[in-house]
Amino acid sequence: EVQLVESGGGLVQPGGSLRLSCAASGFTFSSYEMNWVRQAPGKGLEWVSYISSSGSTIYYADSVKGRFTISRDNAKNSLYLQMNSLRAEDTAVYYCARAGGGWYNFDYWGQGTLVTVSS
Amino acid sequence: DIQMTQSPSSLSASVGDRVTITCRASQSITIYLNWYQQKPGKAPKLLIYAASSLQSGVPSRFSGSGSGTDFTLTISSLQPEDFATYYCQQSYSSPRTFGQGTKVEIK
């Protein structure tokens, strides 16, 4: 069974940093592209970042470029999101999502971890 | 960036109704269009990919159509468990943008 489990969320002050993790199991992690998607309270879904299966290709949304860093450790079956210079508008539930197949859809999602940026 | 626009933003329907949600892309995305269902407090769930392909395990009352810039999600006979928010997403190019969502509520 495919499982994605996020961790690392919490309350952080504006300007602070946080590192999210996503532990993957039930599939060959190193073969799949991965993404982070976030959802602000009461709002819609916003794609945040993408990383290829090898880690060689990375994309970011303009809203987080220069502040967030996506990475992965295929030996540990884990995906990460380092978030620096956090702002109030980064407050959201953060989901990791697997990109399945050649159509780049997000076929499996974690349960999400809440990040709250507030003083 | 490709903009995705869904309509309506919300709708009220009864059990057994046929429901249609539309999604328009700001440029052609061929058939790189996905539909997701999200219930409150839960992660999104993939329903349809490549515009019309049903994800494994998804009931056949869900169907998708369209190509280019205009797409449709249809629920042929709305069931109680279908009351949720639905999002389209283009996977043609990065950033893989989502529509703003359509909330399907009980009439």
Side-chain angles (χ1 to χ4, degrees):
Chain A
E1 179 194 4
V2 171
Q3 281 199 318
L4 297 169
V5 180
E6 300 94 339
S7 60
L11 175 63
V12 61
Q13 291 187 338
S17 299
L18 215 51
R19 188 196 197 206
L20 305 184
S21 300
C22 172
S25 61
F27 66 102
T28 304
F29 180 71
S30 59
S31 298
Y32 286 85
E33 303 165 346
M34 298 295 296
N35 295 267
W36 287 99
V37 177
R38 69 184 181 183
Q39 187 170 38
K43 302 297 184 182
L45 301 171
E46 179 189 15
W47 171 82
V48 171
S49 186
Y50 157 93
I51 187 167
S52 63
S53 55
S54 67
S56 60
T57 302
I58 285 172
Y59 299 120
Y60 297 101
D62 286 346
S63 57
V64 307
K65 201 173 293 181
R67 302 187 298 121
F68 289 12
T69 303
I70 191 172
S71 63
R72 65 190 296 161
D73 186 335
N74 286 341
K76 294 184 177 180
N77 293 336
S78 292
L79 175 72
Y80 305 101
L81 187 67
Q82 177 67 43
M83 304 186 295
N84 298 331
S85 303
L86 282 162
R87 306 166 180 167
E89 54 265 35
D90 296 318
T91 294
V93 173
Y94 285 74
Y95 297 100
C96 62
R98 189 181 85 165
W103 297 102
Y104 306 110
N105 53 74
F106 297 174
D107 62 349
Y108 284 94
W109 297 63
Q111 84 289 351
T113 187
L114 176 62
V115 172
T116 303
V117 183
S118 175
S119 55
Chain B
D1 297 358
I2 298 174
Q3 308 303 318
M4 306 301 294
T5 304
Q6 286 181 236
S7 61
S9 297
S10 65
L11 65 90
S12 295
S14 301
V15 173
D17 284 354
R18 182 181 181 89
V19 169
T20 299
I21 299 168
T22 64
C23 179
R24 175 165 288 176
S26 60
Q27 66 184 74
S28 177
I29 56 172
T30 67
I31 59 168
Y32 282 84
L33 191 282
N34 312 302
W35 289 99
Y36 300 86
Q37 177 194 65
Q38 187 180 33
K39 296 181 179 179
K42 299 295 187 181
K45 172 188 174 183
L46 178 65
L47 298 177
I48 303 280
Y49 65 95
S52 62
S53 295
L54 198 65
Q55 175 70 350
S56 176
V58 174
S60 58
R61 63 181 179 272
F62 291 93
S63 64
S65 65
S67 66
T69 61
D70 294 311
F71 301 88
T72 299
L73 172 70
T74 299
I75 308 172
S76 60
S77 179
L78 198 65
Q79 297 302 299
E81 60 268 30
D82 300 337
F83 292 95
T85 300
Y86 294 85
Y87 294 92
C88 64
Q89 180 212 23
Q90 64 83 15
S91 50
Y92 182 79
S93 67
S94 188
R96 309 218 188 276
T97 40
F98 291 89
Q100 81 279 15
T102 296
K103 187 173 185 179
V104 177
E105 298 176 299
I106 302 172
K107 194 171 187 179

